[in-house]
Amino acid sequence: MILKTPPLGWNSWNTFASQVNDELIRESARAMVETGLKDAGYEYVVIDDCWAEKERGADGRLRHDREKFPRGIRDLADYVHSLGLKLGIYSCAGERTCAGYPGSYDHEFIDAATFASWGVDFLKYDFCNRPAHVPGHILYKRMGAALANCGRDILFSACSWGAEDTKSWIKTTGAGMWRSTGDIFDNWESIKSLFNQQVDIQAYNGTGCFNDMDMLVVGMGGAGNVGMGGCTFEEYRTHFTLWAMLNSPLMIGCDIRNIRQESLDILTNADVLAVNQDPACRQPYII
């Protein structure tokens, strides 16, 4: 899969963290359509960490949490696809995910095949609990190779936080986007810090592999998992504009089922989205 422009979508982590389930994802997918976000270009609905059982099955495969997702991931993917959207899921390059669920280390090919069989379209791949003796570039190349051979187009979202000089090797992994910063929090100091980190690495951004500044906090209002203080309307608007100008993927993190109109207006601003989705991927510069 070769990305021409930064991906747009929604991710469960910023607001819901471990409180993910089948109904939440279906409701959020419907909200993406009903609010006009889909028409504005947002297409990925991504389940972050905590969707799986705590241990793999006897066959070595990941299993969905049967209480959270009683109908299974394949059924959920079919529903999301029926709305004209794409489903994303989460795993990790370590032996365990950041929240302690089974990671994909040493199971890359079987996990990629599993995700493909479920109809998954996007994989966020985190960097927690990784083996100390294996360099990060090897871990991401392994999953990149597995996805390239799984029989399905799955967007590879590498979430290594920019560690181990990610920028120097990420384009060798097949990733379509890479986390170039640490985690975002819902306050202006966090937004400003992530922006300042990004300015000097714009040369690594562009068609095929986009610098990911982490998910948006527009509309969170201080609530949810990363809702630490909240922002003013002007700060949210500035946040969205900066991410768009720097060609970052735009992954919404608020509860879009209950989104306020002022936040929706920011996220669907056609002029700002056009800058982000410029097919020439012109990088901004400081005058």
Side-chain angles (χ1 to χ4, degrees), residues 75-194:
D75 188 83
L76 178 57
D78 289 344
Y79 179 76
V80 170
H81 294 157
S82 76
L83 299 176
L85 300 169
K86 297 178 180 179
L87 183 71
I89 207 163
Y90 169 99
S91 191
C92 187
E95 296 175 343
R96 290 275 163 180
T97 71
C98 298
Y101 292 80
S104 289
Y105 173 66
D106 213 23
H107 292 82
E108 292 87 357
F109 281 82
I110 193 171
D111 287 356
T114 298
F115 299 144
S117 72
W118 288 346
V120 167
D121 306 291
F122 178 111
L123 175 64
K124 177 183 173 183
Y125 203 53
D126 224 330
F127 205 35
C128 290
N129 302 308
R130 58 198 185 275
H133 65 284
V134 184
H137 71 94
I138 297 296
L139 297 173
Y140 281 91
K141 286 171 183 172
R142 283 164 61 159
M143 180 52 82
L147 291 173
N149 289 278
C150 74
R152 182 176 179 83
D153 269 345
I154 298 178
L155 195 164
F156 187 18
S157 172
C159 185
S160 64
W161 329 315
E164 298 187 21
D165 197 30
T166 303
K167 64 182 182 295
S168 69
W169 48 258
I170 192 59
K171 290 185 179 180
T172 69
T173 69
M177 53 191 277
W178 64 284
R179 270 284 296 283
S180 53
T181 66
D183 291 352
I184 195 169
F185 298 99
D186 184 18
N187 60 65
W188 178 245
E189 288 306 313
S190 175
I191 291 168
K192 185 167 61 174
S193 172
L194 297 191

Side-chain angles (χ1 to χ4, degrees), residues 6 13 16 18 22 27 38 65 76 80 93-94 101 107 113-114 127 138 147 156 170 216 220 231 251 256 279:
W13 184 258
F16 301 101
S18 64
D22 182 271
E27 290 175 357
K38 175 180 178 288
D65 185 310
L76 178 57
V80 170
Y101 292 80
H107 292 82
T114 298
F127 205 35
I138 297 296
L147 291 173
F156 187 18
I170 192 59
L216 298 165
M220 291 190 64
C231 295
M251 305 300 289
I256 56 175

Side-chain angles (χ1 to χ4, degrees), residues 8 32 36-43 267-270 273 277:
L8 309 180
M32 190 174 285
L37 287 165
K38 175 180 178 288
D39 290 339
Y42 295 88
E43 61 176 343
L267 294 168
T268 57
N269 185 300
L273 285 171
Q277 295 293 294

Side-chain angles (χ1 to χ4, degrees), residues 252-267:
I252 301 168
C254 69
D255 184 354
I256 56 175
R257 303 171 304 169
N258 302 297
I259 192 169
R260 295 174 59 177
Q261 187 61 47
E262 65 178 19
S263 299
L264 192 59
D265 289 344
I266 293 172
L267 294 168

